[in-house]
Every structure is written in structure tokens, then in C-alpha cells.
Amino acid sequence: MPSYTPPARDMDFILHDLLQVGAQDIPGYADLDRSFTAAILDEAGKLASEVLAPLNPVGDREGCRLENGVVYTPTGFKAAFEAMKQGGWNGLDLPEEYGGQGLPYIMGTAVGEMFVSANMAFNMYQGLTHGAINAILTAGSDEQKATYLPKMVSLDWTGTMNLTEPHCGTDLGLMRTRAEPQADGSYAITGQKIFISAGDHDLAENIIHLVLAKAPGGGPGTKGISLFIVPKFLVNPDGSLGARNAVSVGKIEEKMGIHGNATCVLNYDGARGFLIGELHKGLSAMFVMMNEARLGVGLQGYAQAEAAYQNALAYARDRLQGRDVTGAKNPNGPADPLIVHPDIRRNLMDQKSFVEGARAFTFWGAHLLDRGHRLGDKDAEGLISLMTPVLKGFQTDKGFEMAVQAQQVYGGHGYIEEWGMSQFARDARIAMIYEGANGIQALDLVGRKLAQDGGKHVMAFFEMVKAEVKAHEGDERMKGFVEPLKTASKQMQAAGMFFMQNGMKNPNAALSGSYDFMHLMGHVCLGLMWTRMAKAAYAALDAGAADRDFYEAKIATGRYYMARQLPACAMHLARIESGAEPVMTLAADRF
């Protein structure tokens, strides 16, 4: 059975050596000293490794089941959910006035990574609740907040988001679910929603569905969409639970992975719903939840890769196969361990350098969110808006790729279910699809985010990279970082220039290259993170850090990424500059 060890040491490095959270001017960050964050990571790590991880294969084998309209979760999930509730983990970074602990979002991100690596399907029950809470916090009335948030923060109640319908996913303008106004101010919600993660279960006493639907008078397309709170059980004025609402589970989807999460078809048959936010402006409220979910999914990408990497590394150290071509490393045994072979090392270094770079990128993104929310920093908000499709799209693509590479280390055993490696690949696969498929993320990046606010934010990013390169001029130790970063940044700028010169007269010229641009930018972002991590590691070594092995390994891993991964930017640029012609020439009826 696979195991999981929380990477608390690496998280400590990112929080304190790289981001230096205790010295930031963001409200709440001054409290994040090393001993405080270590205590949180230690307790979360115990829950992840001792409770959640052992249930991961259980959830995969058993799945959820629907019996007489009731959804039952896998063996052990209810007890684990109770442990999650008792620890107050869902409320770690939520407002104290509703029962949360009010810590910065970056701490919720660190803890969330551990829970996702340990058991992604389980974590989705509270993860979706967290997003629903933030949507209500942003758009809900004071009465709605008082009614729903304390119970959701405590996980007595959970939450969902309901967008997709059988005939429409990305194109929400095709939505058919309708909301008819009632005399008491509520709405009757009728329609069917599909792919609803954590749509029903036996873990909480109530489920608060956030449902997009069309109310009369809204106009065509997305202009007519409103957002509604539709509880599974109606809530009485005194906060107690009332009658069962007219929402039912049509079926549980049979999926490739995340079997332990109940992905439901939900039927709304005149269910009582309550408008949240403004009428006909439901998308703006829902996208508060969507944007947080996209960052969370980007985290899922590398968190699954982390768990897979840990097990592949252990296998490579133990499994004896062949001899080192330079001489036996295990002369008293029948063969050497896998890890001596260059191609296995390449495979493991791909995984290690991606996971550690993606962790730094994600934590940096969480820090930008904290700057935006806690300081009102509009530049930080603009930058994280630009980065969101990259965090989601690039990291989930590469996370799945790394989970497959981890499986490859096992050879044939990786394909056998008893070793558990296929689950990491199967679970990671969904992250490339939901919360906006990655092709949509690429279109959003190139079609909207690059030009946002007149291109201000992408230009600020280029200046950030330029400043990082300039800061290390003449430092021979950093040459292996700044030169590749400088080259990759110029390639990203060249791609942007190609879009500017060709995109207006032929939009397909830009959109045909959007996926490559998302990956090119992802590599540049991780290159920036690795350059900064190398600087932090050298600073720690210069200061006489006791843990020299850790910092030296960090530098070596970063050098690998810069030398072996950043050159992919040249390939992506070449594809982008080939334009629309290779992509669009073949007529649709000739495929």
C-alpha cells in the first residue's frame, strides 16, 4: 500500500526562507513565525498521514454507493470527517466571526496540500464547502451569512457548486435550469445538474447547494443567470433543520478516479431556492468560488505528483535491477537498486524539480491572494488573476504527467492495482478537466488575461523577472539560474509579440498557440521560483545553516530544472510562431 510523508521541511523553507512570511506587511503574517507554522504543519501532517492516507485506497476500491436515495461514503470516511471537524481544519483561514481561526490563506494552502496528497477524493468534501463559504461571504446578505456560514465553517453542513448541465459545460449561456419567483420572495428551482462533486453524502447533516439558474427577465445567454442557495434540508428561522427540499440524486457517476468522492447528478423539481447577490448577476458571485477552486485544482495537480513521487522514490531505492554501468554499487547483492541508473534518475529529477517548483509557485500565489484580500493590493489581485490559468492549467497537466512517470518507475508493478500507483494517475487526471478544462484556461490566459488592464499585469511580471536577473549580475553561483531564466523570459515576450502582431487580423493565430503559451509561461514561472529558491538556499548556506544537505539538494534540483525543463520554452515558441495554418488548414470534414 502506498505511504505518504508530509513535506513539512520543504514547506518551512518556502514559507520562511523564500517568502519570509514573518517579515511581510500583510495583516496576520507577523504571527507566522517558524514555531507557530511548524506546529500547524505537524498536526495537519499527522491527520494526513495517519488518518487520511490509509483511507485513500479504501475509497478507491469501495467508491460511494446510492441506496434508496441515500449516498453512502466509503468505510472510514465518516470517522475521518469527524476528525477533520474536531480539528477545526476547514475554518483555519476563515473569519473568526463565523467560527473560523482567521489565519492567512497561505496556511490553508499548505495544510490543504497535505490533505490532497493524502486523500484527494476525501478532501473534496470540505474543499467544495470552503469555496461555497467564500461565495456566500462575498455575495450573501448578512442574514444569509448568519444562517449558513457558522454551520458550514464547522462542517456540520457542507457546500457544493452547481453549474454544469447535460448539454452545457463551458458554455453556460445554454443553461436550462430555471428559477421561478414565488410570492414569499424565494424561487422554485427546476432543472438537472451533473458532475456535482460531493453532491450528496452521509458525512454532514445538511448540504448547501449553490445553483446557477435562469430567472425571468434576464435576457439571453449568460446575462440571465442568477445564483441561488438551495439547501438539501430547509433551514427554520431558529436555525434548526426543516423539511427535505425537492432536490434528489439521480445517480452517482462511475468515474476513472476520485472514487471516494460522490460525483452526482442532481435533479431539482421545484426546489426552494434563495437568491444570493444580485438578480441576473450570478456568474460574478459564482466566479469567486470558481477562482478559488481553480487555485485549489492547480494545487491538486502537484499534490498528487508529490504523493506519487514519494512512493516512486522509495521503490527506486529498494528495487534491485541490473548493474550500474560505472561499477556495482551493491556488490554483495544480486543487482543494484534502480536509483543508480541514469534514466531512473532523470525520471525522479523531473518529478522532484516540478513538485518543489510548483509548491513554491502555488504558495507565492496564495501570498498574492492574501495581499489582495488583506491589504487591498490591486496589483497583487491583478497578478494572481493573470497567474490563475497558469497555476490551474500548467500544474495539472504536468502533475498528471509526473504521476504517470512515477508509475513508470515501477515498471509492470506500476500497472498492477495492488501497488496503488495507478490511483495517483487516475485521480490526477480529473484536475486537467474540471473547474474549466485546460484548453479553456489557455484561451482565458491568451484571450483575456494578457490584455487585462491594458497588459499592465503581464508587463509587471516581465519586470519582475528582469529585476530578478539583474539582481544576480556578476554572481557566478547564480549563472546557471539567471541565464536560462533570461532566455526563457525573452521567448515568452516573443510569443506575446507574435500574438500582438498577428492576433487582431487572424484571431486563430493567437488561439492556436494558446496552449503552448500557457506551458511556456508555466515554465517561466517555475524558473522564477527556482531562481529565488536558489538565492534563498545560498543565503542560508552563507549564514552557516546546519541543514546543509537540504539546501545543497535544493540548489542541485533547481539547476536540473533550469537545464532540463526550461529549454522546452524554445519548443513552445516555435509552435506558437508557426501560426494558425498547420492547425486550421485541414477541413473539419477531412479529419
Side-chain angles (χ1 to χ4, degrees):
M1 186 175 74
S3 62
Y4 171 67
T5 302
R9 177 66 185 91
D10 200 52
M11 291 181 176
D12 176 87
F13 168 77
I14 293 170
L15 290 171
H16 299 288
D17 292 291
L18 178 65
L19 297 176
Q20 299 182 357
V21 290
Q24 298 262 358
D25 60 350
I26 303 170
Y29 270 49
D31 297 328
L32 302 181
D33 61 39
R34 264 198 156 103
S35 60
F36 180 67
T37 61
I40 292 172
L41 297 179
D42 181 61
E43 286 303 312
K46 289 177 183 176
L47 179 61
S49 61
E50 297 173 10
V51 178
L52 303 187
L55 292 175
N56 200 37
V58 175
D60 189 52
R61 286 194 308 270
E62 292 187 10
C64 298
R65 67 186 195 278
L66 175 63
E67 295 180 1
N68 300 318
V70 178
V71 174
Y72 296 93
T73 53
T75 303
F77 272 42
K78 289 187 78 169
F81 198 76
E82 189 61 32
M84 186 71 66
K85 286 174 61 176
Q86 293 302 316
W89 292 108
N90 186 56
L92 189 71
D93 57 353
L94 292 171
E96 293 179 77
E97 62 185 297
Y98 300 111
Q101 298 171 52
L103 292 180
Y105 179 73
I106 196 169
M107 292 308 300
T109 300
V111 166
E113 181 199 319
M114 293 182 179
F115 296 159
V116 171
S117 288
N119 196 326
M120 178 171 156
F122 174 89
N123 189 67
M124 290 169 64
Y125 291 101
Q126 65 264 17
L128 271 295
T129 303
H130 199 280
I133 288 168
N134 280 328
I136 295 172
L137 276 171
T138 300
S141 66
D142 288 344
E143 181 182 0
Q144 287 170 336
K145 293 174 186 177
T147 299
Y148 299 105
L149 293 186
K151 291 286 191 179
M152 294 174 75
V153 170
S154 68
L155 289 180
D156 289 327
W157 301 349
T158 61
T160 70
M161 55 195 296
N162 287 232
L163 292 83
T164 306
E165 300 182 7
H167 58 283
C168 74
T170 300
D171 191 353
L172 293 174
L174 300 176
M175 187 178 297
R176 293 175 186 159
T177 300
R178 55 186 200 279
E180 294 294 336
Q182 305 297 296
D184 63 357
S186 67
Y187 288 77
I189 310 298
T190 302
Q192 186 180 78
K193 297 291 185 177
I194 65 170
F195 305 158
I196 309 306
S197 300
D200 201 81
H201 52 79
D202 57 354
L203 303 178
E205 59 191 33
N206 201 7
I207 302 173
I208 310 303
H209 302 294
L210 296 190
V211 183
L212 286 178
K214 287 190 173 183
T222 59
K223 296 177 182 177
I225 295 175
S226 301
L227 182 62
F228 300 90
I229 293 174
V230 187
K232 177 180 176 179
F233 290 95
L234 296 170
V235 181
N236 294 321
D238 65 358
S240 63
L241 296 184
R244 174 72 186 260
N245 211 348
V247 51
S248 61
V249 181
K251 69 171 182 175
I252 299 176
E253 301 287 4
E254 294 186 23
K255 310 184 295 293
M256 176 180 175
I258 54 169
H259 296 152
N261 196 269
T263 305
C264 298
V265 173
L266 293 182
N267 297 318
Y268 293 87
D269 300 302
R272 196 173 180 204
F274 307 91
L275 180 69
I276 177 171
E278 295 184 56
L279 192 65
H280 309 313
K281 294 184 179 180
L283 279 186
S284 60
M286 181 61 92
F287 268 98
V288 171
M289 189 173 181
M290 285 288 287
N291 285 332
E292 179 187 329
R294 285 172 177 168
L295 292 173
V297 172
L299 181 151
Q300 286 179 341
Y302 83 83
Q304 285 300 287
E306 165 69 39
Y309 163 71
Q310 287 188 17
N311 287 278
L313 175 60
Y315 188 84
R317 285 173 168 161
D318 291 342
R319 176 76 167 176
L320 302 181
Q321 292 284 283
R323 287 294 186 191
D324 188 331
V325 294
T326 64
K329 296 298 186 288
N330 180 34
N332 296 322
D336 289 331
L338 280 173
I339 200 166
V340 306
H341 303 302
D343 194 62
I344 295 292
R345 296 285 281 271
R346 170 204 59 79
N347 187 328
L348 293 171
M349 286 298 288
D350 280 352
Q351 296 174 57
K352 179 177 172 64
S353 64
F354 164 71
V355 167
E356 293 181 15
R359 178 177 296 119
F361 185 26
T362 302
F363 281 32
W364 179 63
H367 139 265
L368 289 176
L369 275 174
D370 280 332
R371 287 199 72 83
H373 293 161
R374 291 174 173 248
L375 276 178
D377 187 331
K378 297 301 181 185
D379 290 337
E381 288 181 356
L383 195 54
I384 192 58
S385 178
L386 170 69
M387 296 298 169
T388 295
V390 184
L391 282 158
K392 195 281 184 187
F394 175 73
Q395 290 192 169
T396 58
D397 276 356
K398 300 300 286 188
F400 172 71
E401 180 184 329
M402 294 303 111
V404 171
Q405 286 193 200
Q407 187 183 29
Q408 188 75 11
V409 171
Y410 283 68
H413 290 296
Y415 202 65
I416 302 299
E417 288 296 337
E418 71 180 87
W419 290 85
M421 294 306 289
S422 76
Q423 184 184 354
F424 296 124
R426 288 185 285 104
D427 286 358
R429 184 66 181 88
I430 185 57
M432 302 163 68
I433 298 172
Y434 61 15
E435 308 305 344
N438 286 356
I440 298 299
Q441 302 301 324
L443 296 180
D444 178 48
L445 175 63
V446 170
R448 293 179 59 244
K449 297 298 176 63
L450 291 183
Q452 191 173 356
D453 296 329
K456 172 183 176 181
H457 306 299
V458 72
M459 294 308 298
F461 176 70
F462 285 136
E463 287 301 313
M464 189 180 295
V465 174
K466 183 179 178 181
E468 192 66 45
V469 169
K470 190 174 179 61
H472 304 294
E473 286 181 350
D475 187 343
E476 194 63 28
R477 296 186 304 183
M478 291 295 294
K479 192 174 181 180
F481 291 89
V482 296
E483 291 300 325
L485 179 61
K486 185 177 181 179
T487 299
S489 178
K490 287 182 177 179
Q491 289 162 338
M492 181 178 160
Q493 292 178 62
M497 187 61 66
F498 177 85
F499 292 152
M500 289 178 61
Q501 292 171 346
N502 296 276
M504 291 297 290
K505 57 187 178 184
N506 182 10
N508 283 338
L511 299 184
S512 296
S514 61
Y515 212 94
D516 279 286
F517 186 83
M518 180 177 72
H519 274 251
L520 196 165
M521 187 171 175
H523 281 300
V524 174
C525 289
L526 262 64
L528 176 62
M529 292 300 108
W530 272 116
T531 302
R532 290 177 170 177
M533 285 193 283
K535 175 175 64 176
Y538 276 124
L541 289 171
D542 291 344
D547 193 2
R548 294 188 65 84
D549 286 350
F550 173 86
Y551 292 108
E552 289 171 355
K554 183 65 67 176
I555 293 164
T557 305
R559 286 187 180 279
Y560 179 90
Y561 193 89
M562 306 307 278
R564 298 281 302 214
Q565 297 297 328
L566 234 55
C569 294
M571 175 193 70
H572 291 303
L573 176 60
R575 289 175 174 174
I576 289 166
E577 290 181 337
S578 73
E581 196 271 339
V583 176
M584 303 302 294
T585 295
L586 192 64
D589 61 358
R590 299 188 69 182
F591 274 81

